[in-house]
Amino acid sequence: MSIVIKGGTVVNADRSYRADVKVEGETIVEIGDNLSGDSALDAGDCYILPGGIDPHTHLDMPFMGANSADNFESGSKAGVSGGTTMVVDFCIPNRNQPLMEALADWHERGKNAVADYSFHMAISYWNDQVRDDMEKVVKAGVTTFKHFMAYKGSLMVNDEEMFASFSRCAELGALPLVHAENGDLVAALQRHYLSKGITGPEGHALSRPPDVEGEATNRAIMLADQAGVPIYIVHTSCIQAHEAIARARALGKRVYGEPLIQHLVLDESEYYDKDWKHAARRVMSPPFRDKANQDDLWNGLRAGSLQVVATDHCSFTTKQKELGFGDFTKIPNGTGGLEDRMPVLWTHGVETGRMTPNEFVAVTSTNSAKILNMYPRKGVIAPGADADIAVWDPKAMKTISAKSQVSVIDYNVFEGMTVTGLPRYTLSRGEVVFRDGRVQAEIGRGRFIARQPFAEEARALKRYKAFTAPRAVAR
Ligand code: URP
Ligand code: ZN
Ligand code: ZN
Ligand code: ZN
């Protein structure tokens, strides 16, 4: 069975051109003029984009006394309704849970996805068993390891543990990821604001100022450099963190930064002088920042010092947020955005001229595929690639509302925002899974995408370190 997507403009990260795209089974087989096939999809006036990849989600995750409300079914349905055909979700072992057991748990969770997914593994504690098991995890197709520098007392790892894990990543050709906030400082600031009687969601923002993130970002980058491994900083939200990343890149280090769509368009005013529910629904870490920080993230995406736009989709219902009524430190951290990431970025990025359609494709799909080692199977419209495609109508409009969303939570942080640019069709491995504004996909059709280690990069770094090592001091 073949499908031809007719009359659109192919937009890849490097260029755009008018062409039909032919899909046979799960794969793109041909791109050219006047193609024919068993059936056709009308892409007149549309762009044909590589399906979005969200490199950072937390579906069905137990966290801070709650379980994130969107699971792999509702999360992947939300994704495809907004043009995202793949997520990379975080497998988070409980303290002392063997890594491979946690991975088996996450594979169980992933079984109801309607589109493809991959995993990162969190290193939330450290011992010799973890060191050994990291190799098994890599062999099982999970080649990225996440470290939390915040969440003291639960997920946080200290510098010694992080350095040991980074060094292990270097040996395995794996890529470390870091949630960069100084967890000790956050804990101290939380105690400070609580003691001043600040118990509402504004205390969350006050206790996590940009320097908390900037310090940790610098530290993580230096530790990775000492370990001889590239590093990926998740949810980069402020000037200080971006500066650390840009400086390291200018010094030749392989460092990647990931702003979230929320931080690009929502600001800290969401936490102040608002009703409790409004503010608590927007509690996430790092918190939303001010306009200057937003502008800086947009600049980084355009300049290439920041590479990808994610959501950190970790959706909690209002009722779950109420666990933190009277104490902001107990509000489950996280917001949603999976179905809105691409339309909101198109509206605030491409429509405003802040980015080109090609840059949009780079930061929503191609760069993630490359950095996470899935390219060119994912992240490009090209013969041989998986037919993960968003047929994108740049003129289609809607007003975002919780009432019409696919995500199962009872609010939307972008409520009332009118967006221009929506998928007309979304294809996942050759199957039309979204059309006419509706998801139509069999539960469980999504597949786990195993990834290879970054062997070449690790070898190159090792050679370079040996080449540049200081000579022993003569005595
Ligand atoms: O607030 C957030 N970001 N919640 C999800 C967990 C994390 O820190 O990524
Ligand atoms: Zn995080
Ligand atoms: Zn409100
Ligand atoms: Zn996260």
Side-chain angles (χ1 to χ4, degrees), residues 56 58 63 146 148 151 179 235 284-285 312 314 333-334:
H56 186 160
H58 302 276
F63 189 49
K146 167 80 166 287
F148 291 91
Y151 306 126
H179 170 134
H235 47 49
M284 66 169 300
S285 296
D312 196 1
C314 185
N333 283 203

Side-chain angles (χ1 to χ4, degrees), residues 39-194:
S39 63
L41 288 176
D42 169 28
D45 300 323
C46 284
Y47 295 123
I48 304 173
L49 313 178
I53 299 171
D54 190 336
H56 186 160
T57 65
H58 302 276
L59 302 173
D60 198 3
M61 181 179 78
F63 189 49
M64 295 184 73
N67 200 81
S68 63
D70 281 308
N71 60 15
F72 280 79
E73 182 192 336
S74 63
S76 60
K77 284 181 172 171
V80 299
S81 70
T84 291
T85 50
M86 179 166 180
V87 302
V88 189
D89 199 82
F90 288 86
C91 170
I92 317 251
N94 296 320
R95 188 157 273 276
N96 296 325
Q97 183 184 27
L99 303 189
M100 291 303 286
E101 186 187 298
L103 187 56
D105 284 358
W106 250 262
H107 276 296
E108 214 39 57
R109 287 174 164 85
K111 276 186 177 159
N112 60 13
V114 305
D116 292 353
Y117 54 94
S118 194
F119 296 131
H120 309 285
M121 173 63 71
I123 298 299
S124 50
Y125 65 102
W126 186 255
N127 57 33
D128 288 347
Q129 191 64 49
V130 172
R131 178 194 301 275
D132 289 347
D133 287 350
M134 283 172 77
E135 186 166 17
K136 295 185 192 141
V137 172
V138 166
K139 289 203 168 116
V142 175
T143 53
T144 40
F145 291 90
K146 167 80 166 287
H147 307 76
F148 291 91
M149 298 171 82
Y151 306 126
K152 193 175 179 181
S154 61
L155 298 173
M156 177 169 140
V157 283
N158 65 29
D159 291 354
E160 188 181 8
E161 295 165 327
M162 207 161 59
F163 181 66
S165 176
F166 287 6
S167 302
R168 184 66 171 140
C169 286
E171 286 170 9
L172 296 170
L175 175 69
L177 276 58
V178 166
H179 170 134
E181 285 185 305
N182 183 320
D184 289 312
L185 186 47
V186 168
L189 291 172
Q190 286 177 332
R191 285 193 300 275
H192 170 78
Y193 286 108
L194 284 173

Side-chain angles (χ1 to χ4, degrees), residues 245 249 255-259 301 304-309 362-363 367 371:
I245 294 166
R249 291 174 65 86
V255 179
Y256 307 108
E258 171 208 80
L301 287 170
S305 47
L306 301 171
Q307 293 74 35
V308 302
V309 175
V363 301
N367 291 353
I371 295 168

Side-chain angles (χ1 to χ4, degrees), residues 319-363:
K319 196 164 167 27
Q320 291 175 314
K321 291 280 186 182
E322 282 168 358
L323 285 168
F325 194 75
D327 180 351
F328 67 83
T329 68
K330 298 196 164 63
I331 301 171
N333 283 203
T335 61
L338 201 32
E339 66 198 276
D340 308 310
R341 177 182 67 132
M342 292 179 62
V344 170
L345 189 72
W346 186 275
T347 304
H348 289 266
V350 180
E351 282 287 308
T352 60
R354 280 198 274 214
M355 57 176 57
T356 66
N358 306 94
E359 288 164 347
F360 175 87
V361 167
V363 301

